[in-house]
Amino acid sequence: MTSRINLTFLGTGDSVPTDRRNHPGILLDFDGEHILFDCGEGTQRQFRKAHINPSSVTRIFISHWHGDHILGLPGLLQTLSLTGHQKTLKIYGPKNSKLYLYRMLESFAFVDKFLIELVEVTKPGIVVDEKDFRIEAEMMEHGTPCLAYKFIKKGHRRIDKNKLSKYKIKEGKHLANLKEGKDITYDGKKYKAKDLIYEDEDVSVSIVMDTKFNNKIIPFVKESDVLIIECTFGNDLVEKAIDHKHMTSKQVGEISKKAKVKKTYLTHISSRYETNLNQILDEVKKVFKNVELAKELGSIDV
Ligand SMILES: [Zn+2]
Ligand SMILES: [Zn+2]
């Protein structure tokens, strides 16, 4: 049985919250890890609305230190402290994160700082490398240090249990060679490894938050199973997108198409499109079909 990746969109709005959308926050659940990407104001309440305990968070990845992506941190850390969170909480963020986090913690009297281990990510590449998954980062362009992240569930060589029962091969130590891709002899018969094993492919989820379009995005998100990407402006506001260092729907469509991603979810939705959400969705669809708006408090399996 392979573990699934589950994503919950805790907040799909931008810098101004509305009655329908909270500030950015995405929870990725995989094999006991509850990984939070960005923590806008009100994120811990969004956890409650999604019926997930905020104290279950194991790691937090910050894209950048604009308020809409981090103002939920003090409240979440306070809750973790009050509920006796035992494990070290690992927080990852761009250059200057240590300074910002230190200043933030200094502003409050109640947070237990000993629970936090901060990793400042100052170059692109692998940030976390565990047995079953890794997380990579890439530098974005947003006027302040900003990171895109990619979660990769590692593919593994697995034994096909159905084949074992078909050939009446019992489980046991003799299967160790199979896991290494070697042929085996069982009960006097030879079996080829390729007939009894299969390879699980990598599964990747890319999260591209605030940035202007840049040449690093497409190679970074290439062939992602899921791309969650900011789509702050429609094609009617190209100049504004350039001024504010955000992307337009056309650019998001082109990134998705050129990178050959399987599915794209739009987030960081501006309140100006709330009464006409189809505008940005249709603009992306003109370039790339397999796209949806991230649903506030919605959850998907990858
Ligand atoms: Zn933002
Ligand atoms: Zn921003």
Side-chain angles (χ1 to χ4, degrees):
M1 185 70 189
T2 55
S3 305
R4 279 182 320 184
I5 303 167
N6 178 268
L7 293 160
T8 304
F9 299 111
L10 295 170
T12 57
D14 68 349
S15 48
V16 182
T18 66
D19 58 343
R20 295 184 197 178
R21 293 180 197 278
N22 203 68
H23 298 294
I26 299 160
L27 185 73
L28 188 153
D29 180 354
F30 175 69
D31 220 12
E33 289 271 353
H34 268 193
I35 304 169
L36 178 63
F37 292 91
D38 282 339
C39 188
E41 183 186 343
T43 294
Q44 62 166 329
R45 189 122 197 282
Q46 296 295 96
F47 268 93
R48 295 296 181 191
K49 288 183 185 170
H51 307 291
I52 304 167
N53 184 350
S55 300
S56 66
V57 168
T58 49
R59 305 175 200 247
I60 300 175
F61 287 79
I62 302 295
S63 64
H64 65 300
W65 284 79
H66 279 162
D68 52 326
H69 298 257
I70 51 90
L71 282 172
L73 263 183
L76 178 60
L77 296 178
Q78 181 189 355
T79 296
L80 291 180
S81 187
L82 288 171
T83 54
H85 191 73
Q86 294 293 317
K87 287 188 200 151
T88 300
L89 178 70
K90 291 185 178 165
I91 302 179
Y92 307 76
K95 191 177 163 216
N96 300 332
S97 288
K98 279 185 181 156
L99 177 69
Y100 285 128
L101 185 73
Y102 175 76
R103 282 185 186 158
M104 196 177 77
L105 294 179
E106 283 300 296
S107 308
F108 304 97
F110 45 73
V111 173
D112 187 345
K113 294 169 208 171
F114 302 106
L115 297 171
I116 299 163
E117 183 187 316
L118 193 127
V119 179
E120 220 168 74
V121 182
T122 55
K123 58 180 192 324
I126 296 170
V127 183
V128 173
D129 196 3
E130 299 284 348
K131 181 173 155 273
D132 293 323
F133 72 91
R134 69 175 183 276
I135 295 174
E136 298 178 5
E138 179 57 281
M139 284 24 200
M140 294 292 103
E141 296 177 22
H142 188 51
T144 185
C146 185
L147 299 169
Y149 293 108
K150 181 163 57 181
F151 174 94
I152 299 143
K153 176 185 149 188
K154 293 180 184 176
H156 284 300
R157 190 177 287 141
R158 295 179 193 280
I159 295 171
D160 190 331
K161 300 270 170 76
N162 293 330
K163 293 274 180 68
L164 290 187
S165 62
K166 183 180 165 191
Y167 296 122
K168 300 191 171 55
I169 301 172
K170 289 194 176 137
E171 303 229 14
K173 282 182 187 162
H174 53 279
L175 298 183
N177 282 340
L178 266 187
K179 282 189 177 161
E180 290 170 20
K182 294 176 189 161
D183 300 342
I184 58 162
T185 302
Y186 178 79
D187 221 5
K189 269 190 190 170
K190 284 187 177 178
Y191 295 92
K192 285 201 159 47
K194 70 175 173 55
D195 295 332
L196 299 175
I197 58 174
Y198 64 94
E199 303 271 343
D200 245 2
E201 290 192 4
D202 286 359
V203 177
S204 59
V205 176
S206 297
I207 298 172
V208 179
M209 276 299 167
D210 302 11
T211 184
K212 67 175 187 181
F213 177 80
N214 66 77
N215 291 331
K216 284 167 280 181
I217 303 174
I218 292 171
F220 185 66
V221 307
K222 198 150 192 63
E223 293 172 4
S224 292
D225 291 272
V226 167
L227 167 64
I228 303 163
I229 188 163
E230 72 121 307
C231 190
T232 313
F233 293 101
N235 295 336
D236 53 324
L237 293 170
V238 174
E239 292 299 316
K240 245 196 162 81
I242 294 167
D243 281 356
H244 294 264
K245 298 188 171 66
H246 280 290
M247 284 190 284
T248 64
S249 30
K250 187 179 175 200
Q251 289 171 328
V252 168
E254 282 170 352
I255 289 166
S256 306
K257 186 179 176 192
K258 287 181 183 163
K260 298 187 174 125
V261 306
K262 289 194 184 131
K263 176 100 190 191
T264 293
Y265 289 89
L266 310 178
T267 190
H268 207 269
I269 307 297
S270 166
S271 54
R272 64 166 61 81
Y273 298 108
E274 200 59 74
T275 53
N276 188 18
L277 287 167
N278 281 338
Q279 182 195 328
I280 44 174
L281 187 61
D282 290 346
E283 285 171 357
V284 177
K285 274 187 178 168
K286 269 187 191 150
V287 188
F288 179 79
K289 291 271 179 294
N290 206 6
V291 58
E292 270 181 46
L293 291 157
K295 191 166 169 261
E296 184 83 358
L297 294 174
S299 172
I300 55 166
D301 286 327
V302 183

